[in-house]
Amino acid sequence: MGARAVVLTGSLGLGHDVVSQVLTEGLVSVGYEVRTLDCMALLGSLGGRAGDAVFRRLLAHPTLYDGLHFAHLRPGSALAEALDRAATRRLVPALAAALGPEPPELAVACFATGSSALARLVG
């Protein structure tokens, strides 16, 4: 058995899933045993549904989505940090449970909140 890796994705839009699929294929090709975890699913049914609903409503108004993305999420404003803290607070325990007592040798996040959760787990 090769080294173990986990790839964290987020099922909001197709972009995260495409990146995680390509990353997984690359890791498998060099001998990793890869497990993919969906951060939205790890938030639980209520948290995942709420996040998905907000994302879909924002996409229905492209100008609003672009405003949030480019004014807050991309540069990391106080609003973005507050949203990330709220999601990460829920995600960290679920991620720790999903990883189990023997974490993989490699963890890669294709989803920003997954990166934050990983940082809190290892830091």
Side-chain angles (χ1 to χ4, degrees), residues 6 9 12 16-17 24-25 27 35 44 46 48 50 53 63 69-70 73-75 100 108 115 118-119 121:
V6 66
T9 189
L12 293 177
H16 304 105
D17 289 335
T24 296
E25 290 169 3
L27 289 170
R35 183 168 65 142
L46 180 60
T63 304
H69 179 82
F70 290 107
L73 301 180
R74 196 164 187 202
V108 182
S115 295
L118 282 174
L121 283 176

Side-chain angles (χ1 to χ4, degrees), residues 16-113:
H16 304 105
D17 289 335
V18 169
V19 172
S20 70
Q21 181 181 2
V22 170
L23 181 58
T24 296
E25 290 169 3
L27 289 170
V28 167
S29 76
V30 295
Y32 277 89
E33 177 185 320
V34 181
R35 183 168 65 142
T36 300
L37 297 174
D38 178 6
C39 293
M40 295 304 293
L42 289 173
L43 287 172
S45 63
L46 180 60
R49 282 194 321 258
D52 186 63
V54 168
F55 178 71
R56 295 201 185 285
R57 284 185 182 247
L58 285 170
L59 284 182
H61 305 282
T63 304
L64 183 60
Y65 176 81
D66 283 351
L68 176 67
H69 179 82
F70 290 107
H72 296 285
L73 301 180
R74 196 164 187 202
S77 72
L79 173 62
E81 290 175 13
L83 293 170
D84 184 65
R85 274 193 310 275
T88 300
R89 188 172 28 251
R90 293 177 151 274
L91 184 56
V92 167
L95 180 57
L99 294 176
E102 294 184 35
E105 290 81 13
L106 176 67
V108 182
C110 303
F111 189 64
T113 305

